[in-house]
Amino acid sequence: MQTDETSAVTGPRTLTVRVADGAVRGHAAGSVFAWMGVPYATAGRDRRFRRAAPARAWDGERDCRDRGPIAPQAKAMQVPIDPGLAQDEDCLSLNVWAPRPAEEPRPVMVWIHGGAYCVGASSQTVYDGRRLAETGDLIVVTVNYRLGVFGFLDLSSFGEGFEPNLGLWDLVTALEWVRDNISAFGGDPGNVTVFGESSGAGAITTLMTAPRAEGLFHRAIAQSAPATSVYGAVRAAAVASRFLELAGVAPSEADRLHELPVENLLRAGDELLDEIVTTVPGTLAMAPVVDGDLVPRYPVAAFQKGVAHRIPLIIGTNRDEASIFRLTRSPILPVTADTVTQMFAAIADDHPDMPPSRIAEVIAAYPDYTKPTGAMAISRDAAFRMPCLWIADAHCRHSPTWVYRFDHATPMLRAARVGAGHATELPYVFGNFGTLNMDPTFWLGGRRSAVQVSGRVQRRWLAFAAYGVPAALDASKHWAPYTEESRSTLLIDKTDTLVPDPDAALRAAWGNEVMGFS
């Protein structure tokens, strides 16, 4: 069912379609329509620490003009969230941008936002999908999912009232909703590309190894994925025990967590976050867990064993990933020689069988290790670059794989020593520059080049979603697939450059065996 409301001056103003739970009314956004805050499941207090329940059906038309509530999240980390957006445990909604349905179903892109698994929202302005939907003549979906204490704290060691990996289960449920409902918007449920950044990309690389998620998406783009930030059950139980201490709850009374105010749980979660990143640099307090069910094994190891979903993959990182963490003094990444040394000591403790010489060989590859630039390089490579290469080397053995490094930075970002820092590629992907208050990106110029770079990135991402090959469909540099022989890597800057194996020395120093925390 489709119904329109049309203005003689502006053309169609609304478009109503019917999904499984009822009719949803979208509103014109440029040349496409937008449906905001569409429920795909429900997870209020009655589902706290449990997998979500199906969304409640509604009568009549649901007006989808406003964005839904965002997930309750850490206050210790700040991300640019528009004022006026409420936080609510029942936050499981998604947003859809789509042209008017046509005879032929269109490709679908599903965005998974980042934020260290504890902050962020699909409604952040930078993730507005209108420009991508217009440029690519396809459908863009952005998803809210549970975060932090409510989404990635594994309390299952305290009884059947708690389930692990709830944020990941939310994403599986959202992808099932897309499979079952996107045709109402003119989308093709058999041509779904997931794309995401940071922990959103980490969720993607994890779901690529989850049997439960197989067939729910057909291509993947992982931007700066911290793919090794997935931990074991023993570590998860220890973190959960510490959380209970901080929340003032005895282990025998863990069920009290179901009734405590949200604010109390968030406060304890913030204390936990600060404590863990300080005592064990390079780790996250709350992240996906190997649970033997949704996540049967460590994802990078699963890629190396050849059991990841055999789908086309774009994966890459930014040249200066760690710079933004130093600028904002965020403890999420170790960016000093002392904290990097502390990280390696913790890895050695976690892997007593690992030869001490291995860590020494890695450190020796960074002659300026004792300086901020060297420490940031090690941190960048441990968290992002090496996981990317480990996955690419494994995945390309059986599935089309493309690797990139995003190098572009405006004059202002270079002057501020941010460069191509973590997340700086986001406005290039969505075409949404200037979404921050007092955005300094173009204070020293560079807009024209940035817009050109953005156009190439968008064309490649959109072509990949439509056809499975990231061609820019213009005179841009051909992007050859990554193979173990060529290791062709696209360096994205004012001009794109295809370079064979630019990280040869890096790979030699780190080796093929995954180095991370269990």
Side-chain angles (χ1 to χ4, degrees), residues 410-412 428 433-434 439-448 450-451:
T410 65
M412 183 63 200
Y428 293 80
F433 292 104
D439 190 335
T441 302
F442 299 119
W443 284 2
L444 296 179
R447 179 180 292 273
R448 181 177 179 182
V451 170

Side-chain angles (χ1 to χ4, degrees), residues 87-102:
Q87 296 187 20
D88 195 302
E89 287 186 71
D90 197 5
C91 61
L92 302 186
S93 67
L94 48 78
N95 311 305
V96 181
W97 288 265
R100 179 182 297 280

Side-chain angles (χ1 to χ4, degrees), residues 320-392:
D320 308 304
E321 294 279 6
S323 62
I324 197 72
F325 297 93
R326 182 169 181 265
L327 179 72
T328 60
R329 299 183 179 180
S330 169
I332 292 293
L333 279 190
V335 292
T336 66
D338 287 344
T339 53
V340 168
T341 299
Q342 193 177 350
M343 175 186 72
F344 278 128
I347 290 175
D349 288 343
D350 202 29
H351 301 280
D353 297 334
M354 184 173 63
S357 60
R358 183 160 180 227
I359 291 177
E361 290 168 0
V362 170
I363 293 176
Y366 301 83
D368 56 351
Y369 159 63
T370 59
K371 300 177 182 178
T373 52
M376 286 192 294
I378 290 180
S379 187
R380 172 201 65 201
D381 297 340
F384 302 109
R385 191 65 186 161
M386 283 312 304
C388 162
L389 295 176
W390 286 325
I391 286 175

Side-chain angles (χ1 to χ4, degrees), residues 108-112 175 192-196 204 217 219-222:
V108 182
M109 298 183 75
V110 179
W111 173 254
I112 302 175
L175 290 166
V192 175
T193 298
V194 291
F195 66 132
I204 288 171
F217 52 93
R219 301 179 183 112
I221 303 173

Side-chain angles (χ1 to χ4, degrees), residues 17-33:
V17 301
R18 178 169 290 278
V19 297
D21 297 310
V24 289
R25 182 167 63 245
H27 294 262
S31 62
V32 299
F33 293 88

